[in-house]
């Protein structure tokens, strides 16, 4: 059994992670840390877990009792945590924040004090880094928008097709903003509403560029990304447009070949809808070529393939068990 600890256990991602791990046949959840909820039942916060567990949050962090720890902190807090705490080199780390997603400048030496440019986190997108993840001690889980957008564009990059600017529009559910209430997550504002935020400046763009360049070394085009807040709880639906002279049949065959052996990412011949992926670790991709423009559509569940589902997928790889273990989830299609 893989012994597991969770830090930052009160948020949406932690709640979904606990749900997956409680039903994972190779997982033993040892502790869920939350300073603000220490002593409370997990079900006091994550009410969807009634009947599944009687565990309580703890302020303790018994790293010597676990094999892997998941960081479910807000962005910027993982790096700060590692500055202040020592995690034994024998304990693997999967970080769900953005702190370590960009490539390190030099290898990490766990015998030396942590510094921001001295880490060995592997970028945890299995579709392009599977072997590196399997050998990793520390994995930086990709962002939700980044996962969806990359999976839509990586086959095109692999075919060396991205030689001009890419226009991306993507809409996400309210859970993407986290559990802490805010003006733009309030029901009366979000319902029957739509809005743009962080246009052309979203924090996930650098990791998208990093992965595309991994597949297409010559990639230097702009990614003009406009994110939208949706009036639904979970899911991401993205459209990506670039100019191309390639033929539609060749592009589709290239996409199918790129994902032919992937357990969770699939090319679909028909137009997509988001309910096909909600509550699963799947990513679905579809292409159309219209008058010299390639239109790629991609969708995921932002909390699963965009966060903890992919994190569990990475954990499975890191511990040498079947990649799909604990992730056989049915979509909420109706």
């Amino acid at each position: 059994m893989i012994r597991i600890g969770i830090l930052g256990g009160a948020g949406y991602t932690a709640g979904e992670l606990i749900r997956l791990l409680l039903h994972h046949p190779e997982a033993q959840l040892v502790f869920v840390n939350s300073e603000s909820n220490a002593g409370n039942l997990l079900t006091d916060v994550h009410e969807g877990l009634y009947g599944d567990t009687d565990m309580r949050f703890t302020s303790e962090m018994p790293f010597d009792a676990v094999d892997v720890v998941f960081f479910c902190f807000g962005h910027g807090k993982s790096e700060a945590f590692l500055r202040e705490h020592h995690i034994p080199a024998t304990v693997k780390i999967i970080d769900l924040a953005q702190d370590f997603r960009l490539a390190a400048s030099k290898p990490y030496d766990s015998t030396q004090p942590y510094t921001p440019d001295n880490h060995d986190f592997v970028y945890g997108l299995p579709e392009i880094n599977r072997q590196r993840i399997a050998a990793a001690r520390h994995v930086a889980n990709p962002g939700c928008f980044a996962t969806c957008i990359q999976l839509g564009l990586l086959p095109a990059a692999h075919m060396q097709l991205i030689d001009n600017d890419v226009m991306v529009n993507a809409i996400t559910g309210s859970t993407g903003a986290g559990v802490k209430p805010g003006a733009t997550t309030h029901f009366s504002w979000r319902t029957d509403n739509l809005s743009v935020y962080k246009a052309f400046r979203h924090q996930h763009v650098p990791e998208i560029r990093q992965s595309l360049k991994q597949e297409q070394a010559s990639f230097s085009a702009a990614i003009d990304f406009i994110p939208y807040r949706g009036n639904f709880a979970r899911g991401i639906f993205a459209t990506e447009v670039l100019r191309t002279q390639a033929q539609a049949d060749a592009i589709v065959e290239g996409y199918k070949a790129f994902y032919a052996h992937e357990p969770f990412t699939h090319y679909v011949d028909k137009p997509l809808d988001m309910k096909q992926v909600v509550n699963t670790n799947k990513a679905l991709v579809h292409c159309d070529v219209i008058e010299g423009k390639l239109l790629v559509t991609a969708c995921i569940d932002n909390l699963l393939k965009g966060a903890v589902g992919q994190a569990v997928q990475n954990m499975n790889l890191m511990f040498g068990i079947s990649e799909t273990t604990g992730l056989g989830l049915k979509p909420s299609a109706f």
Side-chain angles (χ1 to χ4, degrees):
M1 299 291 282
I2 304 167
R3 301 171 301 161
I4 299 162
I6 296 175
L7 302 180
Y12 286 141
T13 54
E16 283 291 274
L17 179 59
I18 294 165
R19 175 173 74 97
L20 294 181
L21 294 176
L22 287 174
H23 299 282
H24 190 295
E26 301 291 336
Q28 178 189 356
L29 189 55
V30 174
F31 73 87
V32 180
N33 174 274
S34 172
E35 296 293 331
S36 60
N37 287 283
N40 295 334
L41 291 165
L42 299 187
T43 50
D44 289 342
V45 174
H46 304 301
E47 296 183 356
L49 299 177
Y50 281 124
D52 292 331
T53 181
D54 58 1
M55 284 186 69
R56 294 180 182 271
F57 292 103
T58 179
S59 60
E60 301 299 315
M61 295 179 287
F63 295 126
D64 58 346
V66 299
D67 303 305
V68 60
V69 62
F70 289 85
F71 287 5
C72 295
F73 300 129
H75 299 310
K77 294 184 179 180
S78 299
E79 182 180 324
F81 183 88
L82 284 179
R83 288 181 184 275
E84 298 169 4
H85 299 83
H86 175 70
I87 296 179
T90 54
V91 177
K92 298 184 180 184
I93 299 172
I94 300 174
D95 181 30
L96 279 84
Q98 68 184 31
D99 301 30
F100 304 107
R101 290 173 185 163
L102 300 184
S105 60
K106 58 182 178 179
Y108 175 66
D109 181 353
S110 63
T111 65
Q112 300 300 316
Y114 166 79
T115 61
D117 63 346
N118 179 27
H119 71 77
D120 67 344
F121 280 79
V122 169
Y123 188 67
L125 192 70
E127 287 78 3
I128 57 171
N129 284 338
R130 181 169 281 107
Q131 292 183 344
R132 293 183 64 211
I133 294 165
R137 293 185 303 132
H138 303 147
V139 166
N141 218 57
C144 52
F145 268 134
T147 295
C148 190
I149 293 166
Q150 288 173 89
L151 293 176
L153 291 174
L154 282 168
H158 186 72
M159 290 184 278
Q160 313 297 300
L161 296 181
I162 310 179
D163 55 8
N164 53 73
D165 293 354
V166 183
M167 185 67 215
V168 179
N169 292 277
I171 185 169
T172 187
S174 59
T175 52
V179 70
K180 187 176 181 179
T184 58
T185 60
H186 196 289
F187 176 80
S188 60
W189 186 90
R190 196 107 180 191
T191 191
D192 299 322
N193 202 3
L194 191 66
S195 63
V196 169
Y197 71 108
K198 296 183 180 178
F200 308 123
R201 294 181 175 88
H202 197 276
Q203 66 271 17
H204 288 182
V205 171
E207 61 183 283
I208 298 169
R209 296 188 63 84
Q210 177 177 261
S211 294
L212 294 180
K213 198 166 183 64
Q214 184 174 327
E215 291 298 312
Q216 181 178 336
S218 64
F219 170 73
S220 61
I223 300 173
D224 294 327
F225 173 32
I226 302 179
Y228 294 81
R229 301 180 182 95
N231 66 341
F232 49 90
R234 58 198 295 166
I236 291 177
F237 192 92
T239 56
E240 303 154 315
V241 180
L242 64 148
R243 295 185 180 277
T244 184
Q245 299 301 313
Q247 296 299 306
D249 289 349
I251 291 173
V252 170
E253 287 307 308
Y255 268 73
K256 288 182 176 179
F258 194 86
Y259 291 130
H261 303 294
E262 291 299 329
F264 294 112
T265 302
H266 308 286
Y267 183 86
V268 178
D269 287 317
K270 298 178 181 179
L272 307 178
D273 66 79
M274 201 171 62
K275 278 194 171 182
Q276 293 168 319
V277 297
V278 171
N279 195 48
T280 78
N281 198 50
K282 294 178 184 178
L284 300 184
V285 181
H286 174 76
C287 293
D288 293 292
V289 178
I290 303 168
E291 297 179 353
K293 295 177 183 176
L294 170 60
L295 168 63
V296 182
T297 309
C299 57
I300 64 170
D301 184 312
N302 60 291
L303 290 178
L304 291 170
K305 184 59 173 169
V308 301
Q310 187 153 243
V312 170
Q313 184 180 356
N314 285 328
M315 180 191 77
N316 292 343
L317 287 167
M318 294 167 79
F319 286 90
I321 64 176
S322 173
E323 194 170 338
T324 61
T325 305
L327 293 169
L329 305 169
K330 181 185 182 300
S332 301
F334 46 83

